[in-house]
Amino acid sequence: MAALGPGGRCAPTLPLLLGLAALAVPPSLAAASEPPPAALRAGHAASSLPAAAAASRTRYLLYDVNPPEGFNLRRDVYVRIASLLKTLRKSENWVLVLPPWGRLYHWQSADILQVRIAWSEFFDIPSLNKNIPVIEYEQFLAESGGPFIEQVYVLQGYAEGWKEGTWEEKIDEKPCIDQLMYSRDKHGYYRGWFWGYEETRGLNASCLSVQGSASIVAPILLKNTSAQSVMLDRAENLLHDHYGGKDYWNTRRSMVFAKHLRVVGDKFRKKYLQSTDEADRTQYKEDWTQMKVKTGTALGGPYLGVHLRRRDFVWGHREDVPSLQGAVKKIHSLLESLKLERVFVATDAVEEEIELLKKLLPEMVRFEPSLEELKLYKDGGLAVIDQWICAHARYFIGTSVSTFSFRIHEEREILGFDPKTTYNRFCGETEKNCEQPAHWKIVY
């Protein structure tokens, strides 16, 4: 890392020996080569289970998101699915299976393999479990008897689209509008991406047209299918049940960054930005349920925090994304008015733009990992570190409609910063109405 700038003695019977032999086969290999147990096969109904087993069994909810969507939008989808799980758990024992990370557009480091990544690499699992019961995908494989998902629902809109007028929440099983991104193999199983786990197979797959909030799916999962494991693909098509409410913020607060990444960020802050929790009034409690900070009590470190989104935003949001020169001009103005001497910049800028920023902005400090650190933390971990450092700045300015910036807003809201130091964005040079981000006040 470098900074630029300031688990009877009778002879065994044959069945027992066969059973022991079967146990000698590693579960993953056995599951990958054998058909699923009868209880997992397509068409198996909960009614065929003993009543006690049906009542006490655990059901698993899995989900995935449209492949092009990035790390921070996927974090938002988790909040929506968590709300659905809470609704399901009012009727049955459901557990959320965390979808492994990987193959994201923004994770472009070429020298490292970034698939089948556990959530524990980026988030604190015990913290998540204080909000809803969650398990990693590998644990699901061990608990459920193999790499089989009984029912895959692909969420889609309605072919006729949304008609103007009164908003109506609805959900229906419909023919798939687009080509199904799953293909059937010679055994009749559905094969697909499944987070990079090639051995995973779906037993049934169909499409649901949905228009509404996350919990609208609950009746389908509780009444229309008895599958023990259900996956919702394209889960981003679900809206929030209660955006910005207490349930939303409880889930968001539970998404505590993995401690090893926070430690890296804290050490960097102290070494290169003269920033510590004591001096910055940003003391952090490991138990998020015990952390309730009054708005405006956090001071922040003696530096400006900047998220400067480039690449696809340069051509995709031309009007409200500034040029590098425009961004630097704004940064210098903020440094002067805030009487700060350093600026921490989180950016996805290409190398040529980085070099230009170094010339135009000598006050710039960036977290630049070594190859060993990159392999250890991965691109997702580096994003977390950048966000953690930005979240502790005296003042933060981000990029318009960027979910990366939105997540920093939320972290700062949790830490107790004055909204005026948080909900700010760059303006494009030709932008006529530079509306600033809305303040979503934390609710306890």
Side-chain angles (χ1 to χ4, degrees), residues 182-195:
Y182 299 88
S183 58
R184 301 191 79 165
D185 63 18
K186 61 182 181 180
H187 301 293
Y189 300 128
Y190 287 91
R191 301 278 187 167
W193 163 239
F194 292 122
W195 316 283

Side-chain angles (χ1 to χ4, degrees), residues 121-197:
E121 293 283 331
F122 309 133
F123 299 95
D124 183 68
I125 304 304
S127 292
L128 295 177
N129 269 295
K130 288 183 178 180
N131 181 54
I132 57 170
V134 302
I135 59 173
E136 299 274 21
Y137 187 69
E138 295 278 357
Q139 185 177 343
F140 164 74
L141 294 179
E143 288 187 12
S144 65
F148 301 98
I149 300 173
E150 292 183 61
Q151 177 66 55
V152 176
Y153 285 125
V154 180
L155 305 182
Q156 60 183 15
Y158 282 82
E160 64 272 22
W162 176 61
K163 298 178 181 178
E164 289 190 19
T166 304
W167 171 259
E168 178 189 8
E169 292 209 342
K170 55 184 180 178
I171 185 169
D172 299 280
E173 191 157 355
K174 294 278 190 178
C176 299
I177 298 173
D178 299 320
Q179 182 178 353
L180 199 62
M181 298 302 290
Y182 299 88
S183 58
R184 301 191 79 165
D185 63 18
K186 61 182 181 180
H187 301 293
Y189 300 128
Y190 287 91
R191 301 278 187 167
W193 163 239
F194 292 122
W195 316 283
Y197 285 79

Side-chain angles (χ1 to χ4, degrees), residues 229-284:
S229 55
V230 182
M231 172 183 170
L232 302 178
D233 199 356
R234 297 300 305 273
E236 77 280 358
N237 283 303
L238 297 172
L239 304 177
H240 284 281
D241 280 342
H242 309 286
Y243 187 82
K246 181 175 183 294
D247 180 67
Y248 173 92
W249 277 106
N250 279 350
T251 297
R252 181 59 185 83
R253 290 164 60 211
S254 74
M255 300 180 75
V256 175
F257 290 140
K259 187 167 185 177
H260 68 278
L261 298 177
R262 288 184 280 126
V263 167
V264 171
D266 289 342
K267 288 183 177 179
F268 184 92
R269 288 166 50 211
K270 183 176 182 179
K271 183 174 182 179
Y272 297 105
L273 297 165
Q274 287 70 57
S275 169
T276 64
D277 285 343
E278 293 75 16
D280 303 348
R281 302 206 296 265
T282 53
Q283 281 87 352
Y284 197 76

Side-chain angles (χ1 to χ4, degrees), residues 304 329-341 394-395 397 420:
L304 174 65
K329 182 179 179 181
K330 178 63 175 178
I331 290 170
H332 278 140
S333 174
L334 287 171
L335 287 173
E336 183 178 354
S337 63
L338 296 168
K339 295 180 171 54
L340 298 173
E341 297 180 354
R394 185 73 48 85
Y395 187 99
I397 183 169
K420 294 178 182 178

Side-chain angles (χ1 to χ4, degrees), residues 18-19 36 50 83 86 99 124 132 148 162 172 204 252 256 279 295 370 395 398 430 434 442:
L18 290 174
S83 185
K86 291 178 182 179
D124 183 68
I132 57 170
F148 301 98
W162 176 61
D172 299 280
N204 298 282
R252 181 59 185 83
V256 175
T295 299
S370 64
Y395 187 99
T430 61
C434 184
I442 193 167

